[in-house]
Amino acid sequence: QGEEAPEFRVDRITLGSKDCQENAIVVGDKTYVIGRTDDDSKSSFGIKILDKLTQTWIVPTVLGAQPPSKSHSAILINEEKILVVEKGVSLNDSIWFLEIDTPFVKQQRKIKGSEVVSWSKGVLGVAQKPVVISGPSGVGKGTLIAKLMKEYPSKFGFSVSHTTRSPRVKEIDGVHYHFAGRSKMEQDISEGEFLEFAHVHGNLYGTSIEAVESVTDEGKRCILDIDVQGARSVRASSLEAIFIFVCPPSFEELEKRLRARGTETEEQIQKRLRNARAELDQSNSPGLFDHLLVNDNLEACYENLKKLLSLDDDHKDSDGCFIEDGKATACYSIMSKTESEVFLQSETGEVVKAAANLLAVDLSSLTGGAPGRTRGLKIHSINSIDNCLKGIR
Ligand SMILES: Nc1nc2c(ncn2[C@@H]2O[C@H](COP(=O)(O)OP(=O)(O)O)[C@@H](O)[C@H]2O)c(=O)[nH]1
Ligand SMILES: Nc1ncnc2c1ncn2[C@@H]1O[C@H](COP(=O)(O)OP(=O)(O)O)[C@@H](O)[C@H]1O
């Protein structure tokens, strides 16, 4: 259980009587109150839970980046999450989910031993599947990825991992890696900020959720250069990706490349070669990698990589977004909901006369969620109030 709230100031949470009512969401024996608090002139969301059985207020740990703290309305989607619609921001930024009992929240509650909720931003459309590239050190992963990014700078984006290893001479912090201290990185991992992490060649490496989401937010396809353990973790996660393993033409050639690169000491080279044998063995694990690429001739291998990537067109960049101008300032509040849709009503026009003032948010094919974004949202305008009412009936 979380700590007891010292005081509960209704006046700080009220945003107008209507909002106040909407923001007290009853879920079983608990009432979630989503309001805002003004501390030091900075406005932020305040979330409190009233446990009806014990009649106590609980202040949960709130994970995830929170919505811009404007005015909002809220509605319970199912026993796992609450939809929060922000007003006065662009429509693209207005849909948020407060997760109260999703698998991620349950896991975090267990780890922390106290009440937890988590924000996840709703994003229109689905993204192209990220590409996971694994293979032994020195096989040419970085070289292949660099070629891809150079040829298609607007199509692909690199997931910048965190690592505790020291930077090499030409490596730039925030570009090749986020070079991190071990204790800070371990802390962030324990807070659920990482999609995966692994100990590789004596150092800690990991992919933060933000590393992948920020690339996807730019409308680019995300490329992850991670080891086999990391690939296994991503396979087991909710992130749907394509998994490619890059093999050397021979072990001798791998050793030659590692030495020729000249970035490691002899001791580090020996460690990487030992690990390479294990990684090559694991590349055959059933169901782990979708494709094996042999990097013998670099140009030929690069062409094969391009073929693999263009073949996968089962996910288009974005679909199902029928809103012409998602950047326009939105001022919608939640009107009602069906099983799979939530209807939003503009606060700036008359609903019946101006039909475009009604929007339907289709929640039927959501993917992802906290600790990342919630994708797969579809929003369309409703032609008439009748359509909307039909949907509700
Ligand atoms: N699991 C995991 N592995 C990573 C990550 N970033 C890099 N690696 C892997 O760590 C290993 C060592 O990477 P690095 O130190 O850059 O050396 P290099 O592979 O010899 O260039 C490689 O197998 C990378 O694929 C990450 O975020 N997670
Ligand atoms: N097909 C290839 N033939 C010869 N050398 C290669 C080939 N691909 C990469 N290299 C070289 O091998 C070294 C290791 O490549 P790198 O991309 O750093 O590997 P990784 O990222 O897998 O550790 C680099 O010096 C690179 O220039």
Side-chain angles (χ1 to χ4, degrees):
Q1 293 288 301
E3 65 187 279
E4 203 174 297
E7 80 182 291
F8 177 57
R9 295 172 305 189
V10 176
D11 58 329
R12 288 303 186 106
I13 288 172
T14 307
L15 301 162
S17 55
K18 190 167 165 241
D19 278 342
C20 185
Q21 263 185 4
E22 283 174 344
N23 293 332
I25 307 273
V26 179
V27 190
D29 292 328
K30 290 178 178 165
T31 302
Y32 290 78
V33 179
I34 309 168
R36 64 202 66 239
T37 49
D38 297 310
D39 298 327
D40 304 333
S41 76
K42 222 178 71 200
S43 193
S44 65
F45 270 91
I47 294 165
K48 294 185 172 86
I49 306 168
L50 175 64
D51 185 330
K52 276 189 231 156
L53 297 179
T54 57
Q55 282 297 309
T56 49
W57 285 99
I58 298 161
V59 180
T61 301
V62 183
L63 301 175
Q66 68 169 14
S69 189
K70 308 257 178 181
S71 170
H72 66 268
S73 58
I75 195 168
L76 186 69
I77 299 300
N78 52 39
E79 63 283 1
E80 291 193 343
K81 52 189 149 193
I82 295 166
L83 173 74
V84 173
V85 178
E86 280 283 300
K87 295 171 201 165
V89 295
S90 75
L91 189 58
N92 284 338
D93 293 328
S94 66
I95 311 280
W96 292 77
F97 294 90
L98 182 69
E99 299 197 359
I100 53 173
D101 205 25
T102 55
F104 171 71
V105 166
K106 283 188 178 124
Q107 176 208 39
Q108 288 295 314
R109 196 183 291 142
K110 218 173 186 180
I111 294 171
K112 294 189 171 34
S114 62
E115 197 55 73
V116 173
V117 295
S118 182
W119 287 106
S120 172
K121 187 181 174 188
V123 179
L124 294 172
V126 288
Q128 279 196 303
K129 285 182 191 170
V131 182
V132 171
I133 300 189
S134 289
S137 181
V139 74
K141 301 178 299 294
T143 309
L144 287 163
I145 293 169
K147 277 173 85 67
L148 199 64
M149 307 273 289
K150 193 170 173 210
E151 189 173 357
Y152 303 101
S154 61
K155 200 166 171 25
F156 294 98
F158 185 60
S159 156
V160 182
S161 293
H162 283 65
T163 181
T164 59
R165 91 150 157 73
S166 317
R168 292 175 188 151
V169 175
K170 288 191 179 152
E171 285 179 333
I172 302 165
D173 190 23
V175 175
H176 298 94
Y177 280 105
H178 296 289
F179 296 99
R182 186 172 283 263
S183 57
K184 170 79 170 86
M185 196 169 156
E186 283 173 346
Q187 158 100 28
D188 291 347
I189 289 171
S190 77
E191 309 235 306
E193 289 181 19
F194 278 70
L195 178 67
E196 62 78 33
F197 64 94
H199 295 271
V200 193
H201 318 317
N203 284 298
L204 183 56
Y205 292 80
T207 310
S208 70
I209 310 272
E210 200 48 38
V212 177
E213 294 286 13
S214 61
V215 171
T216 314
D217 284 351
E218 285 176 24
K220 295 180 181 178
R221 192 166 190 185
C222 186
I223 309 262
L224 291 84
D225 173 347
I226 59 176
D227 87 316
V228 176
Q229 307 168 72
R232 217 180 272 284
S233 304
V234 176
R235 246 306 175 215
S237 79
S238 60
L239 186 77
E240 260 196 80
I242 292 185
F243 295 77
I244 299 174
F245 188 84
V246 186
C247 320
S250 68
F251 205 77
E252 290 68 36
E253 173 64 17
L254 181 70
E255 183 164 358
K256 216 167 90 191
R257 286 183 197 171
L258 253 185
R259 289 190 193 287
R261 188 171 70 184
T263 48
E264 271 77 31
T265 62
E266 181 57 29
E267 193 189 336
Q268 285 166 340
I269 289 176
Q270 290 305 330
K271 193 181 251 181
R272 277 158 196 263
L273 288 173
R274 274 197 304 278
N275 291 343
R277 290 201 186 275
E279 291 200 280
L280 289 167
D281 282 348
Q282 288 186 48
S283 67
N284 297 320
S285 297
L288 182 52
F289 290 100
D290 301 306
H291 307 281
L292 296 187
L293 273 183
V294 180
N295 184 17
D296 190 352
N297 174 284
L298 180 61
E299 289 311 317
C301 183
Y302 180 56
E303 287 308 313
N304 285 333
L305 174 64
K306 286 205 293 190
K307 259 187 229 156
L308 284 185
L309 297 180
S310 58
L311 277 176
D312 175 68
D313 55 5
D314 55 348
H315 279 74
K316 302 211 167 44
D317 265 356
S318 150
D319 75 352
C321 172
F322 307 105
I323 294 301
E324 278 160 27
D325 187 7
K327 292 196 176 90
T329 301
C331 218
Y332 290 93
S333 60
I334 295 165
M335 194 171 78
S336 60
K337 114 179 218 305
T338 65
E339 274 265 294
S340 61
E341 285 186 313
V342 170
F343 299 104
L344 307 184
Q345 169 185 340
S346 167
E347 299 213 326
T348 51
E350 278 184 55
V351 176
V352 181
K353 281 185 199 155
N357 286 342
L358 288 174
L359 295 181
V361 183
D362 182 345
L363 307 170
S364 61
S365 34
L366 297 184
T367 61
R373 316 273 190 269
T374 299
R375 297 188 185 274
L377 275 182
K378 294 176 197 164
I379 301 186
H380 58 94
S381 54
I382 294 177
N383 296 330
S384 74
I385 187 86
D386 288 345
N387 285 359
C388 178
L389 294 175
K390 263 184 231 149
I392 299 169
R393 275 187 220 122

